[in-house]
């Protein structure tokens, strides 16, 4: 477990501030049955890295099945502790949330599917997904948007990173009816969290050898809220003179991403903008099925898809694209210092896409999820090794 301890130290180094005191502040029926059998039954496997698995809703369970099949074929030393949390299948409660949190806090690493948030208001504004991220203080969401060799899209050879603050902003769950027919929705922006995400972005750029950070905002209209975010980014940028710093208004950023995305390297932004840009950028390289994502706190790392969609209409049809989840799982293995296994799986996925014989419907093909998984497994050891 020494390696895991080292990985956790690296994560803390990336997200910690110089002054910690100032800076920390739709499932299938089969899954329902499985939850009732296995909830809380965590069995330790000697020598394996424990990882919390939260399949989520929609095609999440099918994507997690793909991860487990590929990991098994690649002999990955990871032990998944599976938990289930769903607002749409009546599998969400304070008790289940605490079980998931307890597992994540113990293991420090998790892989999760999309926990769908119903639009209906049932007395609680904060969804379980949002509450989970807040309780773990998963303040930094990182989405690496990179073109996949062999799969042509409108823009090719893209390589940019979107870093999103995801614990405050428009998603603060502070809404009320101040007068009949008048709803006030509060956007919260704090100096502490704005500085923290800005520092994370510049630290990330430094660690990954990237040369530019662009702060995305709407300070021309929200002069105080986004103005504070922009000011914090400018202050942090002065501490990193070797990294070029630019600012861009959110609406212009959307247009520039479509017209000339190659101008961007690392982008940092508040919550709502990040959610929108994540999806826009994912569309540039193939859609939600091909872009991995991850979220970090000072202690925990959660791996997921970059564009969070339950894809409910595909449930049970064996057509979901497991690329994003498999690449995210590969990133998780790298986080655990399992470099060989990480590279083996990522290379196998990319080879399947580059060859082009097996592609799911969202990529213009006719292959099933099962076909894709089998092809990835076949490329794990192409020479029988």
């Amino acid at each position: 477990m020494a390696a895991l301890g080292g990985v956790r130290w690296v994560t803390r180094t990336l997200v910690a501030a110089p002054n910690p005191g100032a800076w920390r502040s739709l499932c299938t029926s089969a899954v329902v049955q499985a939850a009732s059998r296995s909830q809380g039954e965590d069995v330790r496997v000697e020598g394996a890295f424990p990882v919390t698995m939260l399949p989520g809703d929609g095609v999440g369970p099918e994507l997690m099945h793909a991860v487990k099949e590929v990991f098994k074929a690649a002999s990955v030393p990871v032990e998944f502790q599976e938990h289930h949390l769903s607002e749409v299948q009546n599998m969400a409660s304070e008790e289940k949330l605490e079980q998931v949190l307890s597992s994540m806090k113990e293991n420090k690493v998790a892989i999760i599917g999309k926990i769908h948030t119903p639009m209906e208001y049932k007395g609680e504004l904060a969804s379980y997904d949002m509450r989970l991220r807040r309780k773990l203080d998963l303040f930094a969401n990182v989405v690496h948007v990179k073109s996949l060799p062999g799969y042509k899209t409108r823009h090719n050879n893209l390589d940019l990173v979107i870093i999103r603050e995801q614990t405050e902003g428009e998603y603060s769950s502070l809404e009320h009816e101040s007068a009949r027919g008048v709803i006030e929705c509060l956007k919260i922006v704090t100096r502490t969290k704005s500085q923290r995400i800005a520092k994370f972005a510049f630290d990330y750029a430094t660690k990954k050898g990237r040369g530019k950070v662009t702060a995305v905002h709407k300070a021309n209209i929200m002069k105080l809220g986004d103005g504070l975010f922009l000011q914090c980014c400018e202050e942090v940028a002065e501490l990193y003179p070797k990294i070029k710093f630019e600012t861009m208004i959110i609406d212009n950023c959307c247009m520039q991403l479509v017209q000339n995305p190659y101008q961007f390297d690392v982008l940092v932004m508040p919550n709502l903008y990040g959610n929108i840009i994540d999806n826009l950028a994912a569309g540039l390289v193939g859609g939600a099925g091909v872009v991995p994502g991850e979220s970090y706190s000072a202690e925990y790392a959660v791996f997921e898809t970059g564009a969070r969609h339950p894809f409910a209409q595909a449930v049970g049809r064996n057509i979901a694209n497991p690329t994003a989840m498999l690449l995210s799982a590969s990133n998780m293995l790298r986080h655990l210092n399992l470099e060989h296994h990480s590279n083996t799986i990522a290379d196998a996925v990319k080879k399947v896409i580059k060859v082009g014989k097996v592609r799911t419907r969202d990529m213009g093909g006719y292959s099933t999820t099962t076909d894709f998984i089998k092809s990835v497994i076949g490329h794990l050891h192409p020479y029988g090794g």
Side-chain angles (χ1 to χ4, degrees), residues 275-313:
N275 194 355
I276 295 169
I277 295 298
D278 282 347
N279 285 265
L280 189 158
L284 297 177
V285 295
V290 300
V291 179
E294 52 220 54
S295 294
Y296 295 100
S297 73
E299 294 185 75
Y300 313 114
V302 173
F303 296 84
E304 56 196 335
T305 55
R308 303 167 190 162
H309 294 280
F311 201 16
Q313 65 270 31

Side-chain angles (χ1 to χ4, degrees), residues 331-365:
N331 292 339
M332 179 187 75
L333 296 180
R334 184 169 292 108
H335 177 79
L336 292 170
N337 276 351
L338 295 171
E339 288 283 346
H340 171 71
H341 293 90
S342 172
N343 293 332
T344 297
I345 291 174
D347 289 347
V349 172
K350 292 172 183 177
K351 284 177 184 176
V352 171
I353 292 173
K354 188 172 185 178
V355 171
K357 292 182 179 179
V358 179
R359 285 185 178 170
T360 49
R361 292 188 184 185
D362 61 311
M363 299 183 78

Side-chain angles (χ1 to χ4, degrees), residues 16-280:
N19 181 359
W23 290 57
R24 286 179 189 159
S25 28
L26 304 163
C27 297
T28 62
S29 59
V31 175
V32 177
Q33 295 168 4
S36 62
R37 291 195 303 268
S38 64
Q39 187 75 48
E41 297 177 6
D42 294 340
V43 180
R44 294 291 179 185
V45 178
E46 190 67 30
F49 290 88
V51 171
T52 302
M53 174 179 278
L54 196 61
D57 294 312
V59 296
E62 297 171 54
L63 300 180
M64 292 305 178
H65 173 73
V67 171
K68 288 186 283 189
E69 288 294 302
V70 172
F71 273 34
K72 180 179 179 181
S75 301
V76 177
V78 162
E79 165 222 342
F80 289 118
Q81 297 174 5
E82 194 166 331
H83 294 263
H84 297 274
L85 188 68
S86 170
E87 293 190 58
V88 296
Q89 289 291 326
N90 295 321
M91 296 171 60
S93 65
E94 292 301 320
E95 181 182 1
K96 289 185 182 295
L97 179 61
E98 287 305 318
Q99 288 175 347
V100 172
L101 287 169
S102 177
S103 177
M104 287 184 169
K105 287 178 179 178
E106 181 177 358
N107 296 332
K108 309 295 185 184
V109 179
I111 184 167
I112 68 175
K114 166 62 178 174
I115 303 173
H116 183 63
T117 303
M119 291 187 187
E120 298 81 9
Y121 173 58
K122 298 180 180 180
E124 176 60 60
L125 291 170
S127 68
Y128 277 87
D129 182 45
M130 291 168 61
R131 291 167 65 190
L132 186 69
R133 294 175 191 277
R134 286 182 194 163
K135 285 180 178 290
L136 295 174
D137 195 27
L138 296 169
F139 69 90
N141 177 241
V142 180
V143 176
H144 187 182
V145 179
K146 190 172 184 179
S147 298
L148 294 168
Y151 180 51
K152 291 187 178 181
T153 56
R154 183 176 297 274
H155 297 287
N156 297 297
N157 301 314
L158 280 183
D159 185 357
L160 58 93
V161 178
I162 301 160
I163 296 177
R164 161 193 177 192
E165 205 295 323
Q166 60 176 3
T167 59
E168 58 175 15
E170 297 85 355
Y171 295 178
S172 298
S173 303
L174 296 173
E175 299 181 75
H176 63 274
E177 188 172 16
S178 57
R180 187 174 180 82
V182 180
I183 301 295
E184 292 182 337
C185 179
L186 303 183
K187 171 177 177 173
I188 307 300
V189 180
T190 63
R191 174 173 292 277
T192 298
K193 291 189 175 183
S194 296
Q195 287 178 328
R196 181 171 67 168
I197 196 65
K199 184 176 187 302
F200 181 95
F202 278 92
D203 283 346
Y204 182 96
T206 301
K207 181 181 178 183
K208 300 294 184 178
R210 291 179 173 268
K212 183 171 74 170
V213 171
T214 302
V216 181
H217 64 92
K218 191 65 176 174
N220 58 322
I221 302 298
M222 287 171 274
K223 301 182 186 298
L224 298 183
D226 279 24
L228 176 60
F229 175 82
L230 184 58
Q231 179 186 347
C232 290
C233 289
E234 291 171 342
E235 291 171 355
V236 171
E238 293 179 1
L239 305 175
Y240 298 81
K242 294 183 179 180
I243 297 178
K244 185 178 180 180
F245 175 66
E246 293 182 349
T247 68
M248 188 173 290
I249 294 174
I250 178 63
D251 36 341
N252 184 33
C253 179
C254 291
M255 181 180 68
Q256 294 295 329
L257 274 168
V258 174
Q259 286 188 325
N260 178 26
Y262 303 100
Q263 65 185 287
F264 298 107
D265 194 351
V266 175
L267 299 94
V268 60
M269 60 199 75
N271 209 335
L272 176 61
Y273 310 156
N275 194 355
I276 295 169
I277 295 298
D278 282 347
N279 285 265
L280 189 158

